[in-house]
Amino acid sequence: IVKRKTLEMLPTAADNISKLQQICASSAKKLMTLGQEWEKHRIPLLEKYRTLRNVKLNRKAKCKQMIEEMRKRKEEMQNMLQDLKNKQEKARLLEEELKKLPKNINRNLY
């Protein structure tokens, strides 16, 4: 089938070559137009993508910073809690010592 069609086109080869060149030229022109149209859509999409990516990266950095701050605060709270326990224990011991002291000492002797 292909061979037969090729043989039918052979007598008008010059016309067929010029038609093929026109078809190729129009296809190339259409491809260039589509490429330009794609670029018109691509550029804003890339800008939006980059903006969203930067927002995401900034958000991740902020979250990491907040997590680090929370860890520091938790450590401070644990230290404060330990200090509080130590001071309560010291206060309890001093109270016990105070209760053991005699109550009838004349303060004028000091």
Side-chain angles (χ1 to χ4, degrees):
I1 295 174
V2 175
K3 188 174 184 181
R4 187 170 35 119
K5 285 192 177 192
T6 306
L7 290 174
E8 288 174 6
M9 296 165 101
L10 196 55
T12 58
D15 290 336
N16 290 335
I17 290 174
S18 67
K19 285 180 187 178
L20 284 173
Q21 286 175 342
Q22 288 175 354
I23 291 171
C24 287
S26 68
S27 293
K29 188 174 183 181
K30 187 174 182 180
L31 188 61
M32 292 295 291
T33 304
L34 287 173
Q36 290 171 351
E37 189 176 326
W38 166 244
E39 283 300 315
K40 287 178 186 176
H41 292 287
R42 182 179 162 268
I43 291 172
L45 289 173
L46 278 176
E47 288 176 7
K48 185 176 179 182
Y49 167 76
R50 288 179 183 139
T51 302
L52 290 173
R53 186 181 64 192
N54 287 338
V55 167
K56 180 182 170 185
L57 291 175
N58 289 341
R59 186 173 178 209
K60 278 188 173 184
K62 187 175 180 182
C63 287
K64 284 181 181 181
Q65 181 182 7
M66 290 173 72
I67 288 171
E68 188 60 34
E69 186 70 25
M70 288 170 40
R71 285 185 183 139
K72 287 179 183 177
R73 297 291 179 227
K74 184 177 178 181
E75 187 178 331
E76 285 179 15
M77 286 173 44
Q78 289 173 344
N79 290 339
M80 289 176 157
L81 186 60
Q82 188 60 42
D83 286 347
L84 178 65
K85 286 179 183 179
N86 292 341
K87 288 179 182 182
Q88 285 176 338
E89 181 64 22
K90 188 173 183 180
R92 187 185 62 79
L93 291 174
L94 287 173
E95 264 185 52
E96 287 178 9
E97 190 176 324
L98 179 65
K99 287 179 184 177
K100 291 178 184 177
L101 291 176
K103 304 281 189 229
N104 56 4
I105 295 179
N106 189 357
R107 302 213 180 257
N108 289 333
L109 295 177
Y110 293 120

